[in-house]
Amino acid sequence: MSQLRSGASAPRSPFPLLPLRTGVLFPGTVLTLPVGRARSVALLNAVHAGDVIGVIAQRDPKREDPQREDLHDIGTFARVVDVTRVSNGFRLVIEGLDRFALTALVDTEPYWRAEGAVAPEFLGDAEEARLLAASLRDRAREIGPRTSTNLAEIAAASRAEPGLFADQIAGALGLPTEKEMEVLAELRVVPRLQKVASLLAEAATLADLKKKIDSDVRRELGKGQREAILREQLRAIQKELAGGEQGEDELSILRRRLDEAELPEEARAVADRELRRLEAIGPQSAEHNVIRTYLEWIADLPWSARATVKDDLDAVQAKLDEDHRGLDDVKRRILEHMAVLKLTGQSRATILCLAGPPGVGKTSLGQSIADATGRPFVRISLGGVHDEAELRGHRRTYVGALPGRIVHALKKAKVKNPVVLLDEVDKLGAGWRGSPEAALLEVLDPEQNRTFVDHYMELPFDLSEVVFLCTVNDLGALSAPLRDRLEIIELSGYTPDEKIAIARSHLVPKQLKEHAIEPASLTITDEALAAIVRDYTREAGVRQLGREIKKLCRAIALEVARAADGKAPRVVVEAHDLGKYLGKVRFFSDVAERTSVPGVATGLAWTPVGGDILFIETSRMPGKGRVEITGQLGDVMKESARAALSYVRSHAGELGVDTAKLETEDLHIHVPAGGVPKDGPSAGVTMFTALTSLLSGRRVRSDTAMTGECTLRGRVLPVGGIKSKVLAAHRAGITRIVLPQKNARDAEEIPKEVRAELELIFVEDMSQVIAAALEEAPIEVVAPAAGSAANVTAGEPAAAA
């Protein structure tokens, strides 16, 4: 292994290679450069300070993946001085050691590796080289002050040998890559010194020309520009004359606010640079207001301010229980977070996603969490946002640019550890200006949001202490990468008992206060509240229940306002009084009526607004064995219908179905509410039951609903949304539910009071479904008359949606 000029050993071939898009590293010089290419980043992850790597320039800077022919033949061995991670990659500091000749590029994965050897220098005439170096040193001392380089300092401090001294001077000239490469490729010392001396003369000529142009421009300053300078000087003089009598000027106030903000090192450096720019330009300049606004935003952000977080777990739990009934999973997760914070003393980002139908308390839970933990609360509504800049801000090059909603929220909170609610994340749109959902990937990643960069601020801000809370109605609308970053907690809805308790403790007192009704003057019985829940609402949450109670309070307020003596009457609202205040009953159970004839089965469905029941209606009529499927069904649901019919045909004997009639009759499968799109495999069991009921003449039990996917072999497969579906069946008055056996574990999520009122039947095979769902004795069915239309139907026509 050969030795480098510095005494270090040359790296063993093949050695790590770092291609440079622009610029050249000369021996004896130190270079700081940003690194962002994937292979280059992989190289930096594999080396440490003190390691020796190869550095070589590319022929074409636009080549993202350079091959051997894209690289120059001469490079420089370099010692790694420092590797620092920054927001957009790495910052690398390297020291040039000696030239090498590149012979081959042997590997490009995971980073470039090459073969080569140290390229020896040819000193030639040593005395001539010494004299040329001395002349070059004197020339650099003379030219240095006329240029914006450190040539004079290098000439005064360097004691390097002639060839290395020429490299140091060339590195300080700021030459184009092509000219720098000409110097690096020159292995003969004397010609190299001559080449650098020529380049130094060119730099001196250019510096003199620039100085002459600047002098000419200053002489040509117009009257308006001179007046602007004089006005600025006058303002400075007036400020000095005022002493301190007029208080702090605008710039001093801004500087003081920045000092009080306790900025990180990087933000402080940027703020100081912008302050110097603000001092250098007059207030009449358009750029003055832009810089001032930017500095005010830096001063307003809570770089180090934190809210004092409560660590009394019992008090936090009491506050959560007071504000929200149920939601045990969410409360437990918040308490776990508080326990970890209390034990470790270190805060870490919490990314919770509350998924569930509207009205179950997802949004209001954010305020409760903030109140319980002592953090400020900020809500960011994302519904309809379709521009990435809404979240990450506009770049300052645009007129009227401002930071995004995340930075606005932090400014409003005034601390760096608030509770931030990202409401309706699934309602984000995507436009031609980028995807705002993609912009959330960094915000909601606990591993990345320590260095969140807003486009306007262009400074990393630490979001790792923020408690982010997202709300969605439909998880299917989220992209896979975003969903992977969220800790999802599903809220399926409330039971009738829970709704009554919420109404009694929250909704009724709130509406009484809003309508100025004394609590003693209005009493709503539990039977009346139960009737409102049963007959006037059919929802997973309590939003509609709140509207009905509000409507009731408005009616009572009218009676109070009309009281002749001005004294509020005492009103007791019973269940039979609701028609007077709320109008006619809106919902009633029609399960028994619909399933009174064969061919109709009650199924369970999941929707973004909660669970629901649906009816599968079947009918037969004279025909040629065709099957008609209607109800605005998706492809998956249509396939489930065909699979169910195939199973019925293949097991006609054991199901009591006459297959001969199937060749002379048409079948029609319909799912009412045809205006609502429906899809999914979970209606397979229901369709099979409805077809078997129609063709065997056995009615489906009116107290039974079902869900599950069926296969051609008769197996019942598990489906999702069990809790939501069971609660919907319970609301509709169903008492028996047929579920797949593999969903038995999901039954634990169903509230105990609901399970106590239901009979849950778990099945693995279609035969078990038939035994559980159909009545024993078939009813008499009138055969359709030959040539007639559908004069025998099972199930009523679908109502208009």
Side-chain angles (χ1 to χ4, degrees):
M1 182 180 299
S2 61
Q3 292 292 113
L4 300 177
R5 179 166 19 202
S6 65
S9 298
R12 190 185 305 274
S13 292
F15 51 82
L17 185 68
L18 179 65
L20 300 183
R21 294 180 187 269
T22 58
V24 168
L25 174 65
F26 286 98
T29 63
V30 176
L31 184 64
T32 301
L33 64 156
V35 177
R37 279 191 287 197
R39 288 190 179 91
S40 300
V41 169
L43 185 150
L44 297 190
N45 286 326
V47 300
H48 304 85
D51 291 349
V52 177
I53 63 173
V55 178
I56 198 164
Q58 294 181 199
R59 298 182 187 274
D60 182 2
K62 296 180 181 179
R63 291 285 294 180
E64 181 69 23
D65 185 17
Q67 302 301 314
R68 174 61 187 89
E69 61 274 12
D70 302 314
L71 303 175
H72 287 283
D73 298 324
I74 300 295
T76 309
F77 284 127
R79 179 188 291 111
V80 177
V81 178
D82 184 47
V83 179
T84 305
R85 182 181 290 275
V86 294
S87 59
N88 57 348
F90 287 86
R91 185 173 62 242
L92 173 66
V93 182
I94 50 179
E95 177 188 3
L97 301 178
D98 217 333
R99 290 169 171 79
F100 71 86
L102 179 66
T103 57
L105 191 64
V106 298
D107 199 1
T108 59
E109 294 294 340
Y111 49 82
W112 291 279
R113 290 192 297 164
E115 290 183 348
V118 174
E121 287 186 343
F122 301 98
L123 180 59
D125 188 340
E127 182 62 20
E128 183 180 4
R130 186 184 64 79
L131 293 174
L132 284 172
S135 174
L136 186 63
R137 190 184 307 274
D138 294 339
R139 187 66 171 153
R141 287 173 178 169
E142 176 190 348
I143 295 174
R146 291 151 51 187
T147 65
S148 57
T149 64
N150 60 342
L151 288 171
E153 291 81 357
I154 294 175
S158 177
R159 296 294 181 266
E161 58 191 28
L164 193 60
F165 179 68
D167 290 336
Q168 293 173 343
I169 295 297
L173 287 176
L175 301 170
T177 302
E178 294 76 12
K179 292 189 176 183
E180 286 186 330
M181 199 62 221
E182 291 177 10
V183 177
L184 186 71
E186 182 56 73
L187 302 181
R188 298 170 299 169
V189 173
V190 172
R192 187 192 309 161
L193 286 164
Q194 294 170 341
K195 180 68 176 175
V196 174
S198 174
L199 294 171
L200 185 59
E202 291 180 10
T205 302
L206 290 175
D208 292 341
L209 180 60
K210 182 177 182 298
K211 183 177 181 180
K212 181 179 182 301
I213 293 174
D214 290 343
S215 177
D216 292 342
V217 170
R218 282 195 297 271
R219 281 197 303 268
E220 295 299 324
L221 280 174
K223 179 181 177 181
Q225 292 170 305
R226 290 198 301 272
E227 289 178 354
I229 295 174
L230 291 173
R231 279 195 297 268
E232 180 66 21
Q233 292 174 343
L234 179 61
R235 187 184 69 84
I237 293 171
Q238 289 173 342
K239 184 177 73 172
E240 290 296 328
L241 291 175
E245 298 176 5
Q246 302 300 323
E248 293 181 291
D249 66 301
E250 178 185 275
L251 196 59
S252 299
I253 295 173
L254 193 54
R255 182 179 286 106
R256 177 174 52 80
R257 290 179 57 196
L258 291 170
D259 292 337
E260 294 172 352
E262 299 181 17
L263 304 179
E265 182 178 347
E266 184 174 353
R268 181 78 248 189
V270 172
D272 289 342
R273 183 192 69 202
E274 296 298 318
L275 275 172
R276 289 193 295 269
R277 291 183 60 204
L278 191 63
E279 291 174 338
I281 62 177
Q284 73 282 353
S285 171
E287 186 70 12
H288 183 277
N289 289 331
V290 173
I291 298 175
R292 188 191 63 193
T293 302
Y294 177 64
L295 288 171
E296 288 176 347
W297 271 102
I298 294 179
D300 287 338
L301 288 183
W303 298 95
S304 57
R306 293 176 176 84
T308 302
V309 180
K310 301 176 183 177
D311 59 0
D312 186 346
L313 299 181
D314 293 334
V316 172
Q317 183 170 11
K319 178 62 176 175
L320 293 174
D321 291 337
E322 176 187 348
D323 291 345
H324 287 80
R325 184 179 179 87
L327 308 182
D328 295 330
D329 289 340
V330 185
K331 296 175 182 176
R332 183 173 63 253
R333 180 63 188 87
I334 294 300
L335 290 173
E336 290 170 355
H337 171 72
M338 298 303 302
V340 172
L341 178 61
K342 183 176 181 179
L343 294 176
T344 64
Q346 297 179 351
S347 180
R348 183 168 176 80
T350 301
I351 316 293
L352 298 181
C353 177
L354 306 182
V360 296
K362 301 187 299 298
T363 301
S364 61
L365 188 66
Q367 183 67 62
S368 297
I369 293 173
D371 294 341
T373 58
R375 301 169 183 254
F377 174 71
V378 184
R379 173 178 171 270
I380 302 176
S381 178
L382 299 180
V385 173
H386 56 80
D387 186 353
E388 179 197 6
E390 286 285 320
L391 295 177
R392 303 200 63 157
H394 300 79
R395 300 195 182 277
R396 281 183 289 151
T397 53
Y398 296 103
V399 176
L402 284 174
R405 298 194 182 191
I406 302 297
V407 172
H408 273 89
L410 293 169
K411 177 183 176 182
K412 181 179 179 181
K414 298 181 180 179
V415 295
K416 65 183 303 182
N417 60 341
V419 175
V420 175
L421 178 72
L422 302 175
D423 210 5
E424 308 290 358
V425 175
D426 55 329
K427 306 300 189 301
L428 283 170
W432 62 273
R433 294 183 177 178
S435 170
E437 184 179 278
L440 283 179
L441 296 181
E442 180 184 2
V443 176
L444 298 180
D445 192 335
E447 303 300 328
Q448 298 180 21
N449 61 13
R450 291 180 180 274
T451 55
F452 169 73
V453 178
D454 183 272
H455 289 161
Y456 178 85
M457 302 301 300
E458 293 184 340
L459 289 172
F461 193 92
D462 185 4
L463 298 179
S464 63
E465 299 182 35
V466 178
V467 176
F468 284 105
L469 193 66
C470 304
T471 69
V472 299
N473 296 133
D474 183 9
L475 285 171
L478 301 183
S479 65
L482 181 58
R483 184 169 178 172
D484 180 63
R485 285 163 167 79
L486 302 176
E487 184 174 341
I488 297 172
I489 301 176
E490 297 193 21
L491 287 70
S492 301
Y494 298 109
T495 65
D497 290 342
E498 288 176 335
K499 291 182 179 180
I500 294 173
I502 292 172
R504 181 68 65 197
S505 59
H506 294 285
L507 302 181
V508 172
K510 176 183 177 182
Q511 295 303 327
L512 291 177
K513 181 178 180 180
E514 289 186 0
H515 292 81
I517 299 176
E518 293 294 332
S521 63
L522 175 61
T523 302
I524 306 176
T525 64
D526 288 343
E527 291 76 14
L529 289 175
I532 295 175
V533 170
R534 181 183 64 250
D535 300 334
Y536 291 88
T537 67
R538 184 164 291 179
E539 58 178 345
V542 293
R543 187 165 291 153
Q544 184 61 34
L545 176 59
R547 294 192 189 102
E548 296 300 324
I549 294 175
K550 185 175 184 179
K551 183 177 180 180
L552 177 61
C553 289
R554 285 201 306 268
I556 300 300
L558 180 60
E559 294 185 3
V560 172
R562 283 179 170 175
D565 54 0
K567 186 176 181 181
R570 190 174 186 279
V571 180
V572 178
V573 179
E574 300 283 356
H576 58 79
D577 298 323
L578 294 178
K580 170 185 175 183
Y581 298 111
L582 302 181
K584 61 183 179 181
V585 172
R586 291 191 181 89
F587 301 101
F588 55 90
S589 176
D590 58 352
V591 176
E593 178 185 350
R594 284 179 178 261
T595 58
S596 60
V597 292
V600 183
T602 307
L604 300 176
W606 179 91
T607 70
V609 295
D612 200 0
I613 64 171
L614 56 82
F615 295 97
I616 306 294
E617 300 180 348
T618 59
S619 176
R620 57 182 180 177
M621 62 207 79
K624 298 181 180 180
R626 292 189 298 269
V627 178
E628 181 75 16
I629 303 175
T630 58
Q632 200 173 348
L633 309 184
D635 292 338
V636 176
M637 207 163 180
K638 291 179 181 178
E639 291 170 359
S640 297
R642 296 189 182 96
L645 181 59
S646 296
Y647 181 80
V648 172
R649 286 176 179 271
S650 60
H651 296 76
E654 57 193 82
L655 295 176
V657 175
D658 185 359
T659 56
K661 291 185 178 181
L662 293 177
E663 302 299 328
T664 60
E665 295 178 350
D666 291 344
L667 295 180
H668 189 163
I669 303 174
H670 178 67
V671 182
V676 180
K678 296 171 279 290
D679 201 7
S682 60
V685 166
T686 313
M687 289 183 171
F688 160 74
T689 305
L691 287 169
T692 303
S693 170
L694 174 73
L695 299 175
S696 66
R698 298 168 62 185
R699 290 185 300 191
V700 181
R701 293 185 54 161
S702 61
D703 59 351
T704 302
M706 63 204 73
T707 186
E709 181 180 359
C710 66
T711 71
L712 289 176
R713 297 183 297 110
R715 305 298 296 171
V716 179
L717 301 182
V719 294
I722 293 298
K723 181 180 178 181
S724 298
K725 294 176 179 178
V726 170
L727 291 177
H730 183 259
R731 288 195 297 268
I734 301 292
T735 58
R736 298 173 75 247
I737 302 178
V738 179
L739 300 171
Q741 178 64 47
K742 292 184 178 179
N743 282 123
R745 62 183 183 275
D746 297 320
E748 299 176 358
E749 301 176 1
I750 303 171
K752 294 180 180 179
E753 59 271 22
V754 175
R755 275 187 290 172
E757 299 178 13
L758 298 176
E759 179 185 356
L760 302 181
I761 305 167
F762 298 100
V763 297
E764 295 181 330
D765 191 84
M766 298 293 196
S767 59
Q768 297 174 312
V769 176
I770 295 302
L774 297 188
E775 296 180 352
E776 291 296 332
I779 68 169
E780 183 177 350
V781 180
V782 180
S788 66
N791 52 11
V792 175
T793 63
E796 62 186 24

